[in-house]
């Protein structure tokens, strides 16, 4: 019998449903604190399929245009592409990516790393190891361009396959007013019968304030159960699972209660070894960090030998690249921007950028499947008014490596 245990964590509130896949019967359901959940279910054995939902208010959903196709490279680049949208340090955040949208942007989910780690730790201590960690906002059934689900004192607003947000019920009218005209014209509200009467008051306000009358669909099941049932209708490829990077689950670790017991014993045996390795790792990382800092300073001094103010290396690099240091024009950023914006559609992988300030040119080191891709990209840049010349092309196993020298239009060699 295939059963799925669904847990939803919103602030300090926990909801749970054990749903039978075949019959659609709910075996167990409840709502309360985590301690109450542990007390009520201490004698139960859970299935392997455990899914944790986290409230949309804990997650920032965004997107970024990032060149490259390999997931590892995307995960490395995404944090710095969305850094300006964050209200906290990028190092404190966990990033998960989904599929690319129709316009080529990569969908991104951002959550506090320590908060997610503590949630998973508490579940693990209760013998629960989720295979998916998903966002409840993205489980709202897409009934139209924008779909709103009334969920107690929360409102889930889904605006796309990987976009949406969660607000308090009191902010419902304000949130609708922030949608663009096209989104408001194709708006559907999902509501359970218990909340219909209260919803009518809010819809009356929308009609009076914005002359808006969205479609209303009554849910067959309560909001949380509706989200759980919709989970089985979403293909894996369209699911944004937060268990990526350091949280990725690589293989099944449970085939029964005995397997968990064995895993616990194995973990205890490895604990001592882990502690001994941590000290050595810390020393190694400290040495590596010092070496990288020294290399960065040496590179900066090599490129900008006349600049002695290098106390804040990161700020000085940014100022140099943006052309904010007195006497610099920022030609590099302008030239790189014009060239790089066409990379996502070129099937090329950028490996290195070398800018010569005295000559005012930039050399792009690229990987391609065929040499024709390099030629096509060079022609594209030329059509934009840039001087783009192919340098070297070397055949490698599975593709080619090459360089393109780029200068502003009208520059002399």
């Amino acid at each position: 019998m295939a059963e799925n245990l669904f847990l939803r964590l919103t602030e300090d509130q926990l909801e749970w449903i054990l749903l039978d896949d075949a019959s659609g019967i709910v075996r167990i359901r409840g709502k309360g604190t985590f301690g109450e959940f542990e007390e009520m279910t201490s004698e139960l054995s859970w299935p392997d399929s455990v899914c944790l939902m986290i409230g949309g208010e804990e997650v920032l959903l965004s997107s970024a245009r990032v060149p490259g196709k390999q997931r590892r490279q995307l995960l490395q680049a995404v944090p710095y592409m969305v850094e300006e949208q964050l209200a906290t340090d990028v190092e404190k955040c966990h990033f998960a990516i989904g599929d690319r949208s129709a316009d080529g942007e990569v969908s991104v989910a951002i959550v506090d790393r320590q908060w997610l780690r503590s949630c998973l730790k508490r579940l693990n201590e209760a013998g629960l190891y989720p295979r998916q960690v998903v966002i409840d906002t993205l489980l709202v059934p897409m009934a139209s361009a924008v779909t709103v689900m009334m969920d107690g004192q929360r409102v889930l607003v889904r605006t796309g396959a990987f976009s949406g947000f969660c607000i308090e019920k009191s902010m419902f009218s304000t949130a609708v007013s922030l949608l663009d005209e096209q989104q408001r014209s194709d708006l559907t509200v999902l509501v359970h019968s218990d909340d219909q009467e209260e919803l009518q008051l809010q819809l009356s306000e929308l009609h009076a304030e914005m002359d808006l009358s969205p479609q209303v669909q009554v849910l067959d099941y309560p909001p949380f159960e509706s989200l759980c049932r919709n989970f089985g209708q979403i293909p894996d490829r369209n699911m944004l699972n937060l268990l990526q990077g350091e949280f990725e689950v690589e293989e099944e670790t449970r085939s029964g209660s005995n397997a968990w017991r064995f895993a616990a014993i194995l973990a205890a045996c490895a604990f001592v070894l882990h502690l001994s390795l941590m000290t050595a790792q810390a020393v190694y990382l400290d040495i590596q960090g010092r070496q990288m800092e020294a290399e960065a300073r040496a590179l900066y001094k090599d490129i900008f030998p006349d600049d002695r103010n290098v106390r804040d290396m990161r700020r000085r690099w940014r100022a140099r690249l943006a052309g904010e240091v007195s006497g610099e024009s920022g030609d590099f950023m302008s030239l790189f921007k014009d060239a790089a914006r066409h990379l996502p559609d070129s099937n090329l992988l950028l490996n290195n950028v070398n800018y010569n300030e005295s000559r005012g040119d930039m050399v792009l080191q690229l990987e391609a499947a065929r040499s024709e891709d390099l030629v096509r990209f060079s022609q594209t840049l030329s059509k934009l008014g840039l001087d783009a010349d192919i340098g070297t092309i070397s055949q490698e196993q599975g593709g080619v490596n090459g360089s393109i020298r780029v200068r502003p239009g009208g520059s002399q060699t």
Side-chain angles (χ1 to χ4, degrees), residues 180-209:
D180 60 43
E181 184 176 350
Q182 183 177 359
Q183 290 176 318
R184 290 199 297 268
S185 66
D186 192 10
L187 174 66
T188 300
V189 180
L190 307 180
V191 60
H192 190 248
S193 56
D194 294 343
D195 298 321
Q196 273 187 283
E197 184 175 345
E198 185 176 355
L199 175 64
Q200 290 304 320
L201 297 175
Q202 295 178 318
L203 293 181
S204 298
E205 292 180 10
L206 286 180
H207 185 73
E209 295 174 4

Side-chain angles (χ1 to χ4, degrees), residues 57-78:
E57 58 268 40
E58 302 291 346
V59 184
L60 172 65
L61 294 173
S62 183
S63 61
R65 184 173 294 276
V66 186
K69 297 181 180 180
Q70 295 185 8
R71 178 170 291 269
R72 178 179 58 83
Q73 294 175 333
L74 294 177
L75 282 172
Q76 291 174 343
V78 157

Side-chain angles (χ1 to χ4, degrees), residues 33-145:
T33 65
F34 200 97
E36 291 172 336
F37 168 74
E38 291 180 299
E39 182 178 351
M40 293 175 60
T41 61
S42 59
E43 303 298 325
L44 299 177
S45 297
W46 299 112
D48 292 339
S49 181
V50 178
C51 175
L52 172 64
M53 294 184 203
I54 59 178
E57 58 268 40
E58 302 291 346
V59 184
L60 172 65
L61 294 173
S62 183
S63 61
R65 184 173 294 276
V66 186
K69 297 181 180 180
Q70 295 185 8
R71 178 170 291 269
R72 178 179 58 83
Q73 294 175 333
L74 294 177
L75 282 172
Q76 291 174 343
V78 157
Y80 304 99
M81 302 298 291
V82 300
E83 184 175 5
E84 294 182 355
Q85 303 177 33
L86 305 179
T88 186
D89 189 353
V90 67
E91 301 298 332
K92 296 181 180 180
C93 299
H94 170 65
F95 298 84
I97 59 175
D99 289 344
R100 289 187 184 272
S101 61
D103 60 2
E105 293 194 343
V106 177
S107 53
V108 186
I110 308 158
V111 64
D112 184 271
R113 177 181 285 108
Q114 185 58 40
W115 180 84
L116 179 59
R117 185 181 290 122
S118 64
C119 292
L120 293 174
K121 179 181 178 182
R122 196 164 186 184
L123 289 176
N124 295 163
E125 290 172 348
L128 297 170
Y129 294 80
R131 306 300 297 177
Q132 295 95 10
V133 175
V134 296
I135 305 131
D136 61 358
T137 308
L138 299 184
L139 292 180
V140 174
M142 288 291 291
S144 56

Side-chain angles (χ1 to χ4, degrees), residues 45-339:
S45 297
W46 299 112
D48 292 339
S49 181
V50 178
C51 175
L52 172 64
M53 294 184 203
I54 59 178
E57 58 268 40
E58 302 291 346
V59 184
L60 172 65
L61 294 173
S62 183
S63 61
R65 184 173 294 276
V66 186
K69 297 181 180 180
Q70 295 185 8
R71 178 170 291 269
R72 178 179 58 83
Q73 294 175 333
L74 294 177
L75 282 172
Q76 291 174 343
V78 157
Y80 304 99
M81 302 298 291
V82 300
E83 184 175 5
E84 294 182 355
Q85 303 177 33
L86 305 179
T88 186
D89 189 353
V90 67
E91 301 298 332
K92 296 181 180 180
C93 299
H94 170 65
F95 298 84
I97 59 175
D99 289 344
R100 289 187 184 272
S101 61
D103 60 2
E105 293 194 343
V106 177
S107 53
V108 186
I110 308 158
V111 64
D112 184 271
R113 177 181 285 108
Q114 185 58 40
W115 180 84
L116 179 59
R117 185 181 290 122
S118 64
C119 292
L120 293 174
K121 179 181 178 182
R122 196 164 186 184
L123 289 176
N124 295 163
E125 290 172 348
L128 297 170
Y129 294 80
R131 306 300 297 177
Q132 295 95 10
V133 175
V134 296
I135 305 131
D136 61 358
T137 308
L138 299 184
L139 292 180
V140 174
M142 288 291 291
S144 56
V146 177
T147 307
V148 175
M149 176 180 283
M150 312 302 294
D151 182 16
Q153 296 304 311
R154 306 166 65 241
V155 178
L156 308 180
V157 183
R158 187 172 184 185
T159 57
F162 296 101
S163 61
F165 53 91
C166 175
I167 57 172
E168 295 180 2
K169 183 184 290 185
S170 60
M171 299 293 293
F172 174 61
S173 298
T174 303
V176 173
S177 68
L178 296 177
L179 299 174
D180 60 43
E181 184 176 350
Q182 183 177 359
Q183 290 176 318
R184 290 199 297 268
S185 66
D186 192 10
L187 174 66
T188 300
V189 180
L190 307 180
V191 60
H192 190 248
S193 56
D194 294 343
D195 298 321
Q196 273 187 283
E197 184 175 345
E198 185 176 355
L199 175 64
Q200 290 304 320
L201 297 175
Q202 295 178 318
L203 293 181
S204 298
E205 292 180 10
L206 286 180
H207 185 73
E209 295 174 4
M210 292 176 277
D211 192 24
L212 185 65
S213 299
Q215 301 180 52
V216 177
Q217 293 184 12
V218 180
L219 296 170
D220 295 328
Y221 306 96
F224 177 48
E225 184 176 341
S226 296
L227 296 176
C228 296
R229 293 181 181 276
N230 191 48
F231 176 87
Q233 307 301 316
I234 302 176
D236 289 343
R237 65 180 181 275
N238 295 333
M239 186 72 69
L240 205 166
N241 186 358
L242 294 181
L243 295 181
Q244 300 180 24
E246 66 174 285
F247 299 105
E248 186 172 2
V249 180
E250 296 183 354
E251 59 183 27
E252 293 288 342
T253 59
R254 172 178 174 176
S255 59
S257 58
N258 291 334
W260 287 124
R261 195 171 296 112
F262 173 77
I265 294 172
L266 183 61
C269 294
F271 183 67
V272 176
L273 177 61
H274 176 69
L275 287 178
S276 63
L277 290 175
M278 285 184 66
T279 303
Q281 184 181 27
V283 174
Y284 172 76
L285 292 177
D286 181 65
I287 294 173
Q288 289 291 100
R290 292 177 183 274
Q291 290 178 346
M292 290 181 180
E293 181 180 3
E295 291 174 0
R297 288 184 177 274
L299 178 61
Y300 185 88
K301 291 179 179 180
D302 183 52
I303 297 176
F304 306 109
D306 297 329
D307 192 348
R308 305 302 180 185
N309 181 18
V310 292
R311 288 175 296 176
D312 190 337
M313 183 63 63
R314 182 175 182 179
R315 179 175 296 178
R316 296 300 293 172
W317 270 117
R318 285 185 172 180
R320 285 288 184 176
L321 293 178
E324 294 173 358
V325 176
S326 176
E328 294 180 8
S329 63
D331 288 341
F332 167 70
M333 290 303 293
S334 175
L335 190 60
F336 182 72
K337 179 180 178 181
D338 290 341

